[in-house]
Amino acid sequence: MQHAGLDTVPTSVQAATQQQEKQSFEEPLMWRFPELQTEEELQFAPNFELRTPTAPSTVAAICGESSVRVEAKKDLLGIGKPVREADVTLGGCPATGEDLENQILIFESELHGCGSQLLMSDDSFVYVFTLLYSPSPLGTSPIVRSREVSISVQCHYQRNHEVSSGLLNPTWIPFSDKKTSEESLHFSLTVMTGDRDSFHSTTYFQLGDMMRFEASVKPFYHAPLRVYVDSCVATVVPIADTVPRYSFLGNKGCLFDSQLTGSSSRFLTRSQDDKLQFEVEAFKFQNDHNGVVYITCSLRATAADAPVDFSNKACSFSNGWREASGYNQACSCCDTECAPGSNVDLIRSVRGGREAEPRSDARSLNSLESELGVVWGQLLCSSGIVHFL
């Protein structure tokens, strides 16, 4: 059977084709976005002032040279509700005190304590602390009604300071004063001429002539010093602790020669603190034919501003005791004992008309030699002439 060559389209396909046809609109689209309504201008009451909110001032800090003090109000959040003391710390450190009247918590710490941080800039040091509020649960419940708050506290210190070149009178003990007591001082004892300022050109003296001596101390870099002659002993051998001997000066600066022998020996008026001159009439020991006299003097220095007193003086006897600086009251002890260990007993034995035996004062003299230094001199006596070597 043969079929005709006609193509046929199923009815379902024809229906789909009709549904996909493009639709056309008879009228244009008229929809638009809705317009926003204009906000009405706010109306304020008369004399109304709009204020900018400010944080409550509840924390203050005082920065010291090496510590900081932080004061925090218990109303830390500024809402009228005090916080619990245990909930506020300074870098983990609890409050060190509390002002109950003003309801203030007080924190104190060293600059390097309580978790501080050190920051440096070109011109300053900055120590930064953190005041931390961490609320604890309310009562026995697990809830809180505030949030954690951290407040930065900073202390600023200048790295550079202006220094004036003007004179400054220190209120502390200068270094030179301290070194004075640690270092050995340079003492000297020299023979002078009658004009007080020149060394004696010859070392010969007639018996009865005035021999002028000058005791001095070199201050170098020390604070100003004042020199004293504590004692002088004449012997016939170069040993101070021997007999015969003549202690013509002792008891912490009392020149006995004029009182014992009626001579004109004396201390001269002091003109400089670091120099002291005194005169002694030339003498020799009776029945000594060697013609040599050794003199040992103990010199001592004090600060120039130290007061003249029983231990620091230069006293001569002339119708009473006179002090070289004018403080005569300091000489009132010359007939007794001015200081422990002085050689007043030795002088009393000489006044009694006998030669002195070695006593404890000689040991005191040796201790002064060791501590302060001693100047030795030699007087040569021959045919009525005293020769100072």
Side-chain angles (χ1 to χ4, degrees), residues 223-345:
L225 300 174
R226 182 184 293 131
V227 66
Y228 290 97
V229 183
D230 275 351
S231 62
C232 285
V233 179
T235 58
V236 295
V237 293
I239 300 176
D241 189 7
T242 186
V243 291
R245 63 177 176 179
Y246 176 42
S247 296
F248 58 88
L249 195 158
N251 206 7
K252 291 290 186 177
C254 300
L255 185 53
F256 296 108
D257 185 63
S258 56
Q259 186 186 37
L260 295 174
T261 66
S263 68
S264 300
S265 300
R266 64 190 178 102
F267 279 106
L268 276 65
T269 302
R270 188 190 290 271
S271 60
Q272 293 179 236
D273 285 329
D274 58 352
K275 295 181 179 179
L276 179 62
Q277 294 188 1
F278 61 98
E279 295 178 336
V280 179
E281 285 192 26
F283 63 89
K284 71 171 187 175
F285 284 95
Q286 186 179 15
N287 299 326
D288 176 63
H289 304 291
N290 293 327
V292 177
V293 175
Y294 295 86
I295 290 183
T296 305
C297 291
S298 177
L299 309 185
R300 182 169 51 86
T302 66
D305 57 356
V308 177
D309 54 24
F310 291 162
S311 297
N312 306 313
K313 61 186 183 302
C315 298
S316 309
F317 186 84
S318 177
N319 294 324
W321 290 102
R322 301 287 184 269
E323 209 280 325
S325 300
Y327 298 94
N328 298 331
Q329 184 63 30
C331 303
S332 60
C333 65
C334 282
D335 290 325
T336 57
E337 184 176 7
C338 293
S342 61
N343 57 351
V344 64
D345 292 334

Side-chain angles (χ1 to χ4, degrees), residues 59-214:
V59 178
I62 302 175
C63 298
E65 291 185 0
S66 60
S67 62
V68 62
R69 176 187 173 99
V70 179
E71 298 180 353
K73 293 182 179 179
K74 276 197 167 184
D75 184 14
L76 184 65
L77 305 179
I79 58 176
K81 293 183 178 181
V83 299
R84 299 168 65 180
E85 178 181 346
D87 294 346
V88 185
T89 61
L90 181 66
C93 298
T96 58
E98 181 179 356
D99 185 346
L100 296 177
E101 181 179 355
N102 297 308
Q103 291 292 291
I104 293 176
L105 299 177
I106 301 172
F107 301 84
E108 293 181 329
S109 170
E110 298 293 327
L111 291 179
H112 294 283
C114 292
S116 68
Q117 292 182 332
L118 174 60
L119 305 178
M120 288 187 293
S121 63
D122 292 339
D123 59 353
S124 64
F125 293 102
V126 182
Y127 290 88
V128 182
F129 296 84
T130 300
L131 186 70
L132 180 63
Y133 167 60
S134 181
S136 56
L138 298 174
T140 58
S141 71
I143 66 171
V144 295
R145 287 196 170 94
S146 58
R147 59 186 302 177
E148 288 189 356
V149 176
S150 62
I151 302 172
S152 179
V153 178
Q154 299 183 0
C155 290
H156 293 250
Y157 299 89
Q158 292 184 357
R159 297 183 64 177
N160 301 318
H161 298 271
E162 295 183 359
V163 179
S164 173
S165 60
L167 294 177
L168 175 66
N169 294 323
T171 57
W172 61 92
I173 299 177
F175 173 76
S176 55
D177 275 357
K178 187 173 185 297
K179 294 298 291 182
T180 299
S181 63
E182 295 177 355
E183 296 181 357
S184 297
L185 304 178
H186 179 72
F187 294 93
S188 65
L189 183 64
T190 54
V191 182
M192 309 295 292
T193 61
D195 60 5
R196 298 188 60 151
D197 297 323
S198 303
F199 296 108
H200 206 286
S201 58
T202 178
T203 56
Y204 288 88
F205 297 90
Q206 292 284 345
L207 287 175
D209 285 348
M210 298 303 297
M211 300 181 296
R212 179 172 294 181
F213 298 91
E214 181 181 86

